[in-house]
Amino acid sequence: MRGGRVDVGLTPRNHGPADVSDSTVRLRWSVPLAAGAQRLPAGCARTGRQEVVCRTGALAADGLGERIALRVWLRGRPTEVTMAVDTLWGGGAVDRNRANDRQQVLVLDTGDAYFF
């Protein structure tokens, strides 16, 4: 994050045991997104004051999906925010381990990259 701009790169992963035909992830920030239109990639849409959802496409069992890259602008110039990523819809697949469906990270306005 730098000056209210957050760049996110997300690579979805299916831990199995079966393929997933499609799924949706939700990204939520602890502060509102900036007013006006955000330029989001195909497959992503703003769904609330603080959230964006993105389609992952098909995910093979024990495989990685296509990387999702987006940039959002936050209202004001916060010095820190919390960003949560969670599985919103799993294509109807049965998930025996819902514990790995949600990640959360504290993002500081340093311009540094975070990996989790």
Side-chain angles (χ1 to χ4, degrees):
M1 179 169 74
R2 184 179 303 265
R5 183 192 84 210
V6 182
D7 294 313
V8 179
L10 170 72
T11 304
R13 180 178 183 142
N14 176 7
H15 293 279
D19 293 348
V20 174
S21 61
D22 201 356
S23 69
T24 305
V25 294
R26 175 177 44 205
L27 296 93
R28 289 184 290 181
W29 290 268
S30 58
V31 300
L33 298 171
Q38 302 272 345
R39 285 192 234 166
L40 300 172
C44 294
R46 184 174 178 170
T47 57
R49 287 176 11 114
Q50 295 170 233
E51 67 183 43
V52 170
V53 297
C54 295
R55 179 177 180 251
T56 67
L59 299 170
D62 291 322
L64 298 175
E66 296 281 331
R67 185 172 189 270
I68 300 167
L70 64 139
R71 173 177 286 172
V72 297
W73 292 90
L74 303 173
R75 186 175 300 161
R77 295 179 68 105
T79 58
E80 67 179 51
V81 297
T82 302
M83 186 187 83
V85 180
D86 62 312
T87 302
L88 186 60
W89 180 70
V94 175
D95 187 351
R96 294 187 187 120
N97 182 7
R98 302 281 304 172
N100 65 9
D101 287 358
R102 187 162 203 271
Q103 301 289 324
Q104 188 169 331
V105 65
L106 175 65
V107 183
L108 304 174
D109 187 11
T110 62
D112 295 328
Y114 295 85
F115 297 90
F116 64 99

Short mmCIF file of all heavy atoms in Angstrom, two decimals, residues 24-94:
data_model
loop_
_atom_site.label_atom_id
_atom_site.label_comp_id
_atom_site.label_asym_id
_atom_site.label_seq_id
_atom_site.Cartn_x
_atom_site.Cartn_y
_atom_site.Cartn_z
N THR A 24 -15.52 -18.14 -6.29
CA THR A 24 -15.46 -16.69 -6.13
C THR A 24 -14.77 -16.38 -4.81
O THR A 24 -15.08 -16.98 -3.78
CB THR A 24 -16.87 -16.09 -6.12
OG1 THR A 24 -17.56 -16.50 -7.29
CG2 THR A 24 -16.82 -14.58 -6.07
N VAL A 25 -13.83 -15.43 -4.85
CA VAL A 25 -13.19 -14.96 -3.63
C VAL A 25 -13.64 -13.53 -3.35
O VAL A 25 -13.96 -12.78 -4.27
CB VAL A 25 -11.65 -15.02 -3.71
CG1 VAL A 25 -11.17 -16.45 -3.81
CG2 VAL A 25 -11.11 -14.20 -4.86
N ARG A 26 -13.65 -13.19 -2.07
CA ARG A 26 -14.02 -11.84 -1.65
C ARG A 26 -12.82 -11.21 -0.97
O ARG A 26 -12.17 -11.83 -0.14
CB ARG A 26 -15.20 -11.91 -0.68
CG ARG A 26 -15.57 -10.56 -0.09
CD ARG A 26 -16.79 -10.62 0.80
NE ARG A 26 -16.75 -11.77 1.69
CZ ARG A 26 -17.84 -12.32 2.22
NH1 ARG A 26 -19.03 -11.85 1.95
NH2 ARG A 26 -17.73 -13.34 3.03
N LEU A 27 -12.54 -9.96 -1.33
CA LEU A 27 -11.49 -9.18 -0.70
C LEU A 27 -12.16 -8.04 0.03
O LEU A 27 -12.95 -7.29 -0.57
CB LEU A 27 -10.52 -8.64 -1.76
CG LEU A 27 -9.75 -9.71 -2.51
CD1 LEU A 27 -10.47 -10.07 -3.79
CD2 LEU A 27 -8.37 -9.22 -2.82
N ARG A 28 -11.88 -7.91 1.33
CA ARG A 28 -12.49 -6.85 2.14
C ARG A 28 -11.42 -6.07 2.87
O ARG A 28 -10.49 -6.65 3.41
CB ARG A 28 -13.44 -7.46 3.18
CG ARG A 28 -14.70 -8.02 2.58
CD ARG A 28 -15.61 -8.52 3.64
NE ARG A 28 -15.02 -9.72 4.22
CZ ARG A 28 -15.56 -10.43 5.18
NH1 ARG A 28 -16.69 -10.06 5.71
NH2 ARG A 28 -14.98 -11.51 5.64
N TRP A 29 -11.59 -4.77 2.87
CA TRP A 29 -10.66 -3.87 3.56
C TRP A 29 -11.36 -3.28 4.77
O TRP A 29 -12.58 -3.12 4.79
CB TRP A 29 -10.20 -2.77 2.61
CG TRP A 29 -9.31 -3.30 1.55
CD1 TRP A 29 -7.94 -3.37 1.59
CD2 TRP A 29 -9.68 -3.87 0.30
NE1 TRP A 29 -7.46 -3.95 0.44
CE2 TRP A 29 -8.51 -4.26 -0.37
CE3 TRP A 29 -10.91 -4.09 -0.34
CZ2 TRP A 29 -8.52 -4.86 -1.62
CZ3 TRP A 29 -10.92 -4.69 -1.59
CH2 TRP A 29 -9.73 -5.07 -2.21
N SER A 30 -10.59 -2.90 5.78
CA SER A 30 -11.16 -2.35 7.01
C SER A 30 -11.58 -0.90 6.87
O SER A 30 -12.15 -0.34 7.80
CB SER A 30 -10.15 -2.49 8.16
OG SER A 30 -8.94 -1.83 7.83
N VAL A 31 -11.30 -0.28 5.74
CA VAL A 31 -11.75 1.08 5.44
C VAL A 31 -12.46 1.06 4.10
O VAL A 31 -12.23 0.18 3.28
CB VAL A 31 -10.57 2.09 5.41
CG1 VAL A 31 -9.84 2.13 6.74
CG2 VAL A 31 -9.60 1.76 4.30
N PRO A 32 -13.33 2.04 3.84
CA PRO A 32 -14.05 2.06 2.57
C PRO A 32 -13.12 2.29 1.37
O PRO A 32 -12.08 2.93 1.49
CB PRO A 32 -15.02 3.24 2.72
CG PRO A 32 -15.13 3.49 4.18
CD PRO A 32 -13.80 3.09 4.76
N LEU A 33 -13.55 1.75 0.25
CA LEU A 33 -12.88 2.04 -1.01
C LEU A 33 -13.20 3.47 -1.40
O LEU A 33 -14.23 4.03 -0.99
CB LEU A 33 -13.36 1.09 -2.10
CG LEU A 33 -13.08 -0.40 -1.85
CD1 LEU A 33 -13.80 -1.25 -2.88
CD2 LEU A 33 -11.60 -0.68 -1.85
N ALA A 34 -12.34 4.09 -2.19
CA ALA A 34 -12.57 5.46 -2.64
C ALA A 34 -13.86 5.53 -3.44
O ALA A 34 -14.26 4.57 -4.11
CB ALA A 34 -11.39 5.93 -3.49
N ALA A 35 -14.52 6.68 -3.36
CA ALA A 35 -15.76 6.89 -4.11
C ALA A 35 -15.45 6.87 -5.61
O ALA A 35 -14.32 7.11 -6.03
CB ALA A 35 -16.38 8.23 -3.73
N GLY A 36 -16.46 6.59 -6.40
CA GLY A 36 -16.27 6.55 -7.85
C GLY A 36 -15.87 5.17 -8.31
O GLY A 36 -15.70 4.23 -7.54
N ALA A 37 -15.68 5.07 -9.59
CA ALA A 37 -15.39 3.77 -10.20
C ALA A 37 -13.94 3.35 -9.93
O ALA A 37 -13.02 4.15 -10.05
CB ALA A 37 -15.65 3.84 -11.69
N GLN A 38 -13.80 2.12 -9.56
CA GLN A 38 -12.48 1.50 -9.45
C GLN A 38 -12.25 0.76 -10.77
O GLN A 38 -13.17 0.17 -11.32
CB GLN A 38 -12.46 0.49 -8.29
CG GLN A 38 -12.81 1.06 -6.95
CD GLN A 38 -11.59 1.60 -6.21
OE1 GLN A 38 -10.45 1.34 -6.56
NE2 GLN A 38 -11.83 2.39 -5.19
N ARG A 39 -11.05 0.79 -11.29
CA ARG A 39 -10.74 0.02 -12.49
C ARG A 39 -10.34 -1.38 -12.06
O ARG A 39 -9.24 -1.58 -11.55
CB ARG A 39 -9.62 0.66 -13.28
CG ARG A 39 -10.08 1.88 -14.01
CD ARG A 39 -9.02 2.31 -14.99
NE ARG A 39 -8.70 3.71 -14.73
CZ ARG A 39 -7.68 4.35 -15.20
NH1 ARG A 39 -6.80 3.73 -15.95
NH2 ARG A 39 -7.48 5.61 -14.92
N LEU A 40 -11.25 -2.32 -12.26
CA LEU A 40 -11.02 -3.69 -11.84
C LEU A 40 -10.87 -4.60 -13.06
O LEU A 40 -11.45 -4.34 -14.10
CB LEU A 40 -12.18 -4.17 -10.97
CG LEU A 40 -12.43 -3.36 -9.69
CD1 LEU A 40 -13.72 -3.81 -9.02
CD2 LEU A 40 -11.25 -3.49 -8.74
N PRO A 41 -10.13 -5.68 -12.92
CA PRO A 41 -9.96 -6.60 -14.05
C PRO A 41 -11.25 -7.36 -14.35
O PRO A 41 -12.15 -7.43 -13.50
CB PRO A 41 -8.86 -7.54 -13.58
CG PRO A 41 -8.92 -7.50 -12.09
CD PRO A 41 -9.38 -6.11 -11.74
N ALA A 42 -11.32 -7.93 -15.53
CA ALA A 42 -12.47 -8.77 -15.89
C ALA A 42 -12.61 -9.88 -14.85
O ALA A 42 -11.62 -10.42 -14.35
CB ALA A 42 -12.26 -9.37 -17.27
N GLY A 43 -13.83 -10.17 -14.49
CA GLY A 43 -14.10 -11.19 -13.49
C GLY A 43 -14.17 -10.67 -12.07
O GLY A 43 -14.44 -11.42 -11.15
N CYS A 44 -13.90 -9.37 -11.88
CA CYS A 44 -13.97 -8.76 -10.55
C CYS A 44 -15.00 -7.64 -10.55
O CYS A 44 -15.17 -6.96 -11.56
CB CYS A 44 -12.62 -8.18 -10.13
SG CYS A 44 -11.32 -9.40 -9.87
N ALA A 45 -15.69 -7.47 -9.41
CA ALA A 45 -16.69 -6.42 -9.30
C ALA A 45 -16.74 -5.91 -7.86
O ALA A 45 -16.57 -6.67 -6.91
CB ALA A 45 -18.07 -6.94 -9.69
N ARG A 46 -16.98 -4.63 -7.73
CA ARG A 46 -17.17 -4.03 -6.42
C ARG A 46 -18.57 -4.39 -5.96
O ARG A 46 -19.53 -4.23 -6.68
CB ARG A 46 -17.01 -2.51 -6.51
CG ARG A 46 -17.09 -1.82 -5.19
CD ARG A 46 -16.78 -0.36 -5.35
NE ARG A 46 -16.91 0.32 -4.07
CZ ARG A 46 -16.53 1.56 -3.85
NH1 ARG A 46 -15.99 2.27 -4.83
NH2 ARG A 46 -16.68 2.11 -2.66
N THR A 47 -18.68 -4.90 -4.73
CA THR A 47 -19.98 -5.34 -4.23
C THR A 47 -20.41 -4.63 -2.96
O THR A 47 -21.44 -4.95 -2.40
CB THR A 47 -19.97 -6.87 -3.97
OG1 THR A 47 -18.91 -7.18 -3.06
CG2 THR A 47 -19.78 -7.64 -5.27
N GLY A 48 -19.63 -3.69 -2.50
CA GLY A 48 -19.99 -2.95 -1.30
C GLY A 48 -19.01 -1.82 -1.07
O GLY A 48 -18.09 -1.61 -1.85
N ARG A 49 -19.20 -1.11 0.03
CA ARG A 49 -18.33 0.02 0.35
C ARG A 49 -16.88 -0.39 0.54
O ARG A 49 -15.97 0.38 0.30
CB ARG A 49 -18.80 0.69 1.65
CG ARG A 49 -20.06 1.48 1.54
CD ARG A 49 -20.53 2.05 2.90
NE ARG A 49 -19.59 1.95 3.99
CZ ARG A 49 -19.00 2.99 4.60
NH1 ARG A 49 -19.27 4.21 4.21
NH2 ARG A 49 -18.15 2.81 5.58
N GLN A 50 -16.68 -1.63 1.01
CA GLN A 50 -15.34 -2.06 1.38
C GLN A 50 -14.93 -3.38 0.74
O GLN A 50 -13.94 -3.98 1.17
CB GLN A 50 -15.27 -2.20 2.91
CG GLN A 50 -15.44 -0.88 3.61
CD GLN A 50 -15.61 -1.02 5.10
OE1 GLN A 50 -16.57 -0.49 5.65
NE2 GLN A 50 -14.71 -1.69 5.79
N GLU A 51 -15.67 -3.85 -0.27
CA GLU A 51 -15.34 -5.18 -0.78
C GLU A 51 -15.44 -5.31 -2.29
O GLU A 51 -16.18 -4.58 -2.96
CB GLU A 51 -16.17 -6.25 -0.11
CG GLU A 51 -17.64 -6.21 -0.43
CD GLU A 51 -18.40 -7.27 0.34
OE1 GLU A 51 -18.14 -7.48 1.54
OE2 GLU A 51 -19.27 -7.89 -0.28
N VAL A 52 -14.66 -6.27 -2.78
CA VAL A 52 -14.61 -6.64 -4.19
C VAL A 52 -14.69 -8.16 -4.24
O VAL A 52 -14.10 -8.83 -3.39
CB VAL A 52 -13.29 -6.15 -4.83
CG1 VAL A 52 -13.09 -6.72 -6.22
CG2 VAL A 52 -13.24 -4.63 -4.87
N VAL A 53 -15.40 -8.71 -5.21
CA VAL A 53 -15.40 -10.15 -5.44
C VAL A 53 -14.77 -10.43 -6.79
O VAL A 53 -14.90 -9.63 -7.72
CB VAL A 53 -16.82 -10.77 -5.35
CG1 VAL A 53 -17.39 -10.61 -3.96
CG2 VAL A 53 -17.74 -10.20 -6.39
N CYS A 54 -14.09 -11.57 -6.88
CA CYS A 54 -13.43 -11.97 -8.12
C CYS A 54 -13.68 -13.45 -8.39
O CYS A 54 -13.58 -14.28 -7.49
CB CYS A 54 -11.93 -11.74 -8.04
SG CYS A 54 -11.43 -10.02 -7.90
N ARG A 55 -13.96 -13.75 -9.63
CA ARG A 55 -14.14 -15.12 -10.09
C ARG A 55 -12.76 -15.73 -10.29
O ARG A 55 -11.87 -15.10 -10.84
CB ARG A 55 -14.89 -15.09 -11.42
CG ARG A 55 -15.13 -16.40 -12.02
CD ARG A 55 -15.95 -16.23 -13.32
NE ARG A 55 -16.17 -17.52 -13.89
CZ ARG A 55 -15.58 -17.95 -15.01
NH1 ARG A 55 -14.77 -17.14 -15.67
NH2 ARG A 55 -15.82 -19.16 -15.45
N THR A 56 -12.59 -16.97 -9.85
CA THR A 56 -11.29 -17.64 -9.99
C THR A 56 -11.21 -18.48 -11.26
O THR A 56 -10.11 -18.76 -11.72
CB THR A 56 -11.00 -18.57 -8.81
OG1 THR A 56 -11.91 -19.67 -8.84
CG2 THR A 56 -11.06 -17.83 -7.49
N GLY A 57 -12.34 -18.93 -11.77
CA GLY A 57 -12.32 -19.90 -12.86
C GLY A 57 -12.15 -21.29 -12.28
O GLY A 57 -12.15 -21.50 -11.07
N ALA A 58 -11.99 -22.27 -13.16
CA ALA A 58 -11.85 -23.67 -12.73
C ALA A 58 -10.53 -23.87 -11.97
O ALA A 58 -9.52 -23.25 -12.29
CB ALA A 58 -11.89 -24.59 -13.94
N LEU A 59 -10.60 -24.73 -10.96
CA LEU A 59 -9.42 -25.07 -10.16
C LEU A 59 -9.29 -26.59 -10.08
O LEU A 59 -10.18 -27.25 -9.55
CB LEU A 59 -9.53 -24.49 -8.75
CG LEU A 59 -9.66 -22.98 -8.63
CD1 LEU A 59 -10.02 -22.59 -7.20
CD2 LEU A 59 -8.36 -22.31 -9.06
N ALA A 60 -8.20 -27.12 -10.60
CA ALA A 60 -7.96 -28.55 -10.51
C ALA A 60 -7.62 -28.93 -9.07
O ALA A 60 -7.07 -28.13 -8.32
CB ALA A 60 -6.81 -28.95 -11.44
N ALA A 61 -7.95 -30.15 -8.69
CA ALA A 61 -7.60 -30.64 -7.35
C ALA A 61 -6.09 -30.56 -7.16
O ALA A 61 -5.32 -30.92 -8.05
CB ALA A 61 -8.08 -32.07 -7.18
N ASP A 62 -5.68 -30.06 -6.01
CA ASP A 62 -4.26 -29.86 -5.69
C ASP A 62 -3.56 -29.00 -6.73
O ASP A 62 -2.37 -29.19 -7.01
CB ASP A 62 -3.53 -31.20 -5.54
CG ASP A 62 -3.99 -31.95 -4.30
OD1 ASP A 62 -4.24 -31.27 -3.28
OD2 ASP A 62 -4.11 -33.18 -4.36
N GLY A 63 -4.28 -28.02 -7.28
CA GLY A 63 -3.70 -27.17 -8.31
C GLY A 63 -3.87 -25.69 -8.03
O GLY A 63 -4.64 -25.29 -7.16
N LEU A 64 -3.14 -24.89 -8.81
CA LEU A 64 -3.23 -23.44 -8.73
C LEU A 64 -4.09 -22.90 -9.85
O LEU A 64 -4.09 -23.46 -10.96
CB LEU A 64 -1.83 -22.81 -8.83
CG LEU A 64 -0.83 -23.18 -7.75
CD1 LEU A 64 0.54 -22.59 -8.06
CD2 LEU A 64 -1.31 -22.72 -6.39
N GLY A 65 -4.77 -21.81 -9.59
CA GLY A 65 -5.57 -21.13 -10.60
C GLY A 65 -4.80 -20.00 -11.24
O GLY A 65 -3.61 -19.78 -10.94
N GLU A 66 -5.47 -19.28 -12.10
CA GLU A 66 -4.88 -18.11 -12.75
C GLU A 66 -4.70 -16.99 -11.72
O GLU A 66 -5.56 -16.75 -10.88
CB GLU A 66 -5.80 -17.61 -13.86
CG GLU A 66 -6.00 -18.58 -15.00
CD GLU A 66 -4.84 -18.58 -15.97
OE1 GLU A 66 -4.19 -17.52 -16.11
OE2 GLU A 66 -4.58 -19.63 -16.57
N ARG A 67 -3.59 -16.29 -11.82
CA ARG A 67 -3.31 -15.18 -10.92
C ARG A 67 -4.32 -14.04 -11.16
O ARG A 67 -4.61 -13.69 -12.30
CB ARG A 67 -1.89 -14.65 -11.15
CG ARG A 67 -1.48 -13.58 -10.16
CD ARG A 67 0.00 -13.27 -10.33
NE ARG A 67 0.48 -12.41 -9.28
CZ ARG A 67 0.47 -11.08 -9.35
NH1 ARG A 67 0.02 -10.47 -10.41
NH2 ARG A 67 0.93 -10.37 -8.34
N ILE A 68 -4.83 -13.48 -10.09
CA ILE A 68 -5.73 -12.34 -10.13
C ILE A 68 -4.95 -11.13 -9.64
O ILE A 68 -4.39 -11.16 -8.53
CB ILE A 68 -6.97 -12.57 -9.23
CG1 ILE A 68 -7.73 -13.81 -9.70
CG2 ILE A 68 -7.86 -11.35 -9.21
CD1 ILE A 68 -8.78 -14.29 -8.70
N ALA A 69 -4.87 -10.10 -10.45
CA ALA A 69 -4.15 -8.88 -10.06
C ALA A 69 -5.09 -7.70 -10.13
O ALA A 69 -5.77 -7.51 -11.14
CB ALA A 69 -2.94 -8.67 -10.98
N LEU A 70 -5.17 -6.93 -9.07
CA LEU A 70 -6.03 -5.76 -9.08
C LEU A 70 -5.42 -4.64 -8.25
O LEU A 70 -4.56 -4.87 -7.41
CB LEU A 70 -7.44 -6.08 -8.59
CG LEU A 70 -7.61 -6.54 -7.15
CD1 LEU A 70 -8.84 -5.88 -6.56
CD2 LEU A 70 -7.80 -8.04 -7.14
N ARG A 71 -5.86 -3.45 -8.54
CA ARG A 71 -5.45 -2.25 -7.82
C ARG A 71 -6.71 -1.55 -7.36
O ARG A 71 -7.62 -1.34 -8.15
CB ARG A 71 -4.65 -1.33 -8.73
CG ARG A 71 -4.34 0.02 -8.11
CD ARG A 71 -3.50 0.85 -9.02
NE ARG A 71 -2.14 0.31 -8.99
CZ ARG A 71 -1.16 0.69 -9.79
NH1 ARG A 71 -1.37 1.60 -10.71
NH2 ARG A 71 0.03 0.16 -9.67
N VAL A 72 -6.76 -1.22 -6.08
CA VAL A 72 -7.89 -0.44 -5.56
C VAL A 72 -7.35 0.79 -4.86
O VAL A 72 -6.21 0.83 -4.41
CB VAL A 72 -8.78 -1.26 -4.59
CG1 VAL A 72 -9.42 -2.44 -5.29
CG2 VAL A 72 -8.01 -1.72 -3.37
N TRP A 73 -8.21 1.79 -4.78
CA TRP A 73 -7.91 3.02 -4.06
C TRP A 73 -8.82 3.08 -2.84
O TRP A 73 -10.02 2.83 -2.93
CB TRP A 73 -8.15 4.23 -4.96
CG TRP A 73 -7.16 4.29 -6.08
CD1 TRP A 73 -7.30 3.72 -7.31
CD2 TRP A 73 -5.88 4.88 -6.05
NE1 TRP A 73 -6.18 3.95 -8.06
CE2 TRP A 73 -5.28 4.67 -7.32
CE3 TRP A 73 -5.17 5.59 -5.09
CZ2 TRP A 73 -4.02 5.13 -7.64
CZ3 TRP A 73 -3.90 6.06 -5.41
CH2 TRP A 73 -3.34 5.83 -6.68
N LEU A 74 -8.22 3.38 -1.70
CA LEU A 74 -8.97 3.48 -0.45
C LEU A 74 -9.31 4.94 -0.18
O LEU A 74 -8.59 5.85 -0.59
CB LEU A 74 -8.14 2.92 0.70
CG LEU A 74 -7.70 1.46 0.52
CD1 LEU A 74 -6.74 1.08 1.64
CD2 LEU A 74 -8.88 0.53 0.46
N ARG A 75 -10.41 5.14 0.52
CA ARG A 75 -10.83 6.49 0.88
C ARG A 75 -9.80 7.09 1.84
O ARG A 75 -9.38 6.45 2.80
CB ARG A 75 -12.20 6.46 1.53
CG ARG A 75 -12.73 7.87 1.79
CD ARG A 75 -14.13 7.86 2.31
NE ARG A 75 -15.02 7.24 1.33
CZ ARG A 75 -16.20 6.77 1.63
NH1 ARG A 75 -16.67 6.84 2.86
NH2 ARG A 75 -16.95 6.21 0.70
N GLY A 76 -9.41 8.31 1.54
CA GLY A 76 -8.41 8.98 2.37
C GLY A 76 -7.04 8.39 2.11
O GLY A 76 -6.78 7.78 1.09
N ARG A 77 -6.20 8.57 3.03
CA ARG A 77 -4.84 8.02 2.94
C ARG A 77 -4.52 7.30 4.24
O ARG A 77 -3.71 7.77 5.04
CB ARG A 77 -3.84 9.14 2.68
CG ARG A 77 -4.04 9.82 1.33
CD ARG A 77 -3.05 10.94 1.13
NE ARG A 77 -1.69 10.42 0.99
CZ ARG A 77 -1.05 10.36 -0.17
NH1 ARG A 77 -1.63 10.78 -1.26
NH2 ARG A 77 0.17 9.88 -0.23
N PRO A 78 -5.15 6.15 4.48
CA PRO A 78 -4.91 5.45 5.74
C PRO A 78 -3.45 4.98 5.84
O PRO A 78 -2.82 4.68 4.83
CB PRO A 78 -5.86 4.25 5.67
CG PRO A 78 -6.12 4.04 4.22
CD PRO A 78 -6.04 5.40 3.58
N THR A 79 -2.94 4.94 7.05
CA THR A 79 -1.57 4.48 7.26
C THR A 79 -1.51 2.96 7.47
O THR A 79 -0.45 2.37 7.35
CB THR A 79 -0.93 5.18 8.46
OG1 THR A 79 -1.73 4.94 9.62
CG2 THR A 79 -0.81 6.68 8.20
N GLU A 80 -2.65 2.37 7.80
CA GLU A 80 -2.73 0.92 7.91
C GLU A 80 -4.16 0.47 7.69
O GLU A 80 -5.11 1.20 8.00
CB GLU A 80 -2.23 0.42 9.26
CG GLU A 80 -3.09 0.81 10.44
CD GLU A 80 -2.54 0.26 11.75
OE1 GLU A 80 -1.34 0.45 12.03
OE2 GLU A 80 -3.33 -0.35 12.48
N VAL A 81 -4.31 -0.72 7.13
CA VAL A 81 -5.62 -1.34 6.93
C VAL A 81 -5.47 -2.83 7.15
O VAL A 81 -4.37 -3.38 7.07
CB VAL A 81 -6.22 -1.08 5.52
CG1 VAL A 81 -6.46 0.39 5.28
CG2 VAL A 81 -5.35 -1.68 4.44
N THR A 82 -6.59 -3.45 7.39
CA THR A 82 -6.64 -4.90 7.42
C THR A 82 -7.34 -5.34 6.14
O THR A 82 -8.36 -4.76 5.76
CB THR A 82 -7.44 -5.40 8.64
OG1 THR A 82 -6.82 -4.91 9.82
CG2 THR A 82 -7.48 -6.91 8.68
N MET A 83 -6.76 -6.33 5.45
CA MET A 83 -7.39 -6.88 4.27
C MET A 83 -7.65 -8.36 4.51
O MET A 83 -6.76 -9.09 4.96
CB MET A 83 -6.48 -6.74 3.04
CG MET A 83 -7.18 -7.17 1.76
SD MET A 83 -6.09 -7.21 0.33
CE MET A 83 -5.35 -8.82 0.55
N ALA A 84 -8.88 -8.77 4.25
CA ALA A 84 -9.26 -10.17 4.40
C ALA A 84 -9.62 -10.73 3.03
O ALA A 84 -10.23 -10.05 2.22
CB ALA A 84 -10.46 -10.29 5.34
N VAL A 85 -9.20 -11.96 2.80
CA VAL A 85 -9.53 -12.68 1.58
C VAL A 85 -10.22 -13.97 2.01
O VAL A 85 -9.68 -14.71 2.83
CB VAL A 85 -8.27 -13.03 0.76
CG1 VAL A 85 -8.64 -13.78 -0.51
CG2 VAL A 85 -7.46 -11.79 0.45
N ASP A 86 -11.41 -14.23 1.45
CA ASP A 86 -12.08 -15.46 1.80
C ASP A 86 -12.83 -16.03 0.60
O ASP A 86 -13.16 -15.32 -0.34
CB ASP A 86 -13.02 -15.28 3.00
CG ASP A 86 -14.14 -14.29 2.76
OD1 ASP A 86 -13.86 -13.19 2.27
OD2 ASP A 86 -15.29 -14.61 3.07
N THR A 87 -13.06 -17.33 0.65
CA THR A 87 -13.84 -18.01 -0.38
C THR A 87 -15.30 -17.68 -0.15
O THR A 87 -15.84 -17.96 0.91
CB THR A 87 -13.63 -19.54 -0.31
OG1 THR A 87 -12.24 -19.81 -0.46
CG2 THR A 87 -14.42 -20.24 -1.40
N LEU A 88 -15.91 -17.07 -1.14
CA LEU A 88 -17.32 -16.70 -1.03
C LEU A 88 -18.20 -17.83 -1.57
O LEU A 88 -19.24 -18.12 -1.02
CB LEU A 88 -17.56 -15.40 -1.80
CG LEU A 88 -18.93 -14.77 -1.69
CD1 LEU A 88 -19.26 -14.42 -0.24
CD2 LEU A 88 -19.00 -13.53 -2.55
N TRP A 89 -17.77 -18.44 -2.65
CA TRP A 89 -18.54 -19.51 -3.28
C TRP A 89 -17.56 -20.51 -3.84
O TRP A 89 -16.56 -20.14 -4.48
CB TRP A 89 -19.41 -18.93 -4.40
CG TRP A 89 -20.25 -19.93 -5.13
CD1 TRP A 89 -21.32 -20.61 -4.66
CD2 TRP A 89 -20.08 -20.35 -6.49
NE1 TRP A 89 -21.82 -21.44 -5.63
CE2 TRP A 89 -21.07 -21.29 -6.77
CE3 TRP A 89 -19.17 -20.02 -7.48
CZ2 TRP A 89 -21.19 -21.91 -7.99
CZ3 TRP A 89 -19.28 -20.63 -8.71
CH2 TRP A 89 -20.30 -21.56 -8.96
N GLY A 90 -17.80 -21.78 -3.63
CA GLY A 90 -16.87 -22.82 -4.05
C GLY A 90 -17.38 -23.71 -5.16
O GLY A 90 -16.98 -24.87 -5.25
N GLY A 91 -18.27 -23.20 -6.00
CA GLY A 91 -18.73 -23.97 -7.15
C GLY A 91 -19.54 -25.19 -6.78
O GLY A 91 -19.68 -26.10 -7.59
N GLY A 92 -20.05 -25.24 -5.57
CA GLY A 92 -20.85 -26.38 -5.14
C GLY A 92 -20.02 -27.55 -4.62
O GLY A 92 -20.57 -28.57 -4.23
N ALA A 93 -18.70 -27.41 -4.61
CA ALA A 93 -17.84 -28.50 -4.12
C ALA A 93 -17.94 -28.61 -2.60
O ALA A 93 -18.14 -27.61 -1.91
CB ALA A 93 -16.39 -28.24 -4.52
N VAL A 94 -17.80 -29.82 -2.10
CA VAL A 94 -17.79 -30.05 -0.66
C VAL A 94 -16.38 -29.77 -0.15
O VAL A 94 -15.40 -30.29 -0.67
CB VAL A 94 -18.19 -31.51 -0.34
CG1 VAL A 94 -18.05 -31.78 1.16
CG2 VAL A 94 -19.60 -31.78 -0.81
#
